[in-house]
Amino acid sequence: MKKVLIIGGTNNTALNIAEDLQNLGYSIDCLTYRDKAKIINKYKKWIHLDLFEDQSVENFLINEHN
């Protein structure tokens, strides 16, 4: 099974793509969010990522490699 990371996971388009990928047999390994209030519980792993904040990007890279 192929794993997928979706950047911008709280966007409606990203959520639709995630659903389509799951229907095709992909595993949604992780989605990123900028606004925690927009997270839906359908997917289990969410990581904060704000591409406009350097520290957020650094934290994301560290988390993904551990």
Side-chain angles (χ1 to χ4, degrees):
M1 183 177 295
K2 295 180 181 179
K3 294 182 179 182
V4 177
L5 162 67
I6 296 182
I7 304 291
T10 55
N11 179 287
N12 286 335
T13 301
L15 293 172
N16 290 334
I17 290 171
E19 188 172 324
D20 288 345
L21 287 171
Q22 278 191 316
N23 291 337
L24 292 171
Y26 289 82
S27 170
I28 307 304
D29 189 49
C30 179
L31 294 96
T32 67
Y33 69 90
R34 187 169 32 163
D35 181 357
K36 194 170 190 167
K38 293 182 179 181
I39 291 176
I40 63 167
N41 292 326
K42 183 175 182 178
Y43 301 101
K44 61 184 177 180
K45 185 174 179 187
W46 289 86
I47 295 179
H48 180 260
L49 176 61
D50 186 339
L51 295 174
F52 295 108
E53 294 179 4
D54 290 341
Q55 189 60 49
S56 176
V57 174
E58 289 291 326
N59 291 341
F60 174 80
L61 294 172
I62 290 167
N63 284 329
E64 281 305 299
H65 287 98
N66 290 325

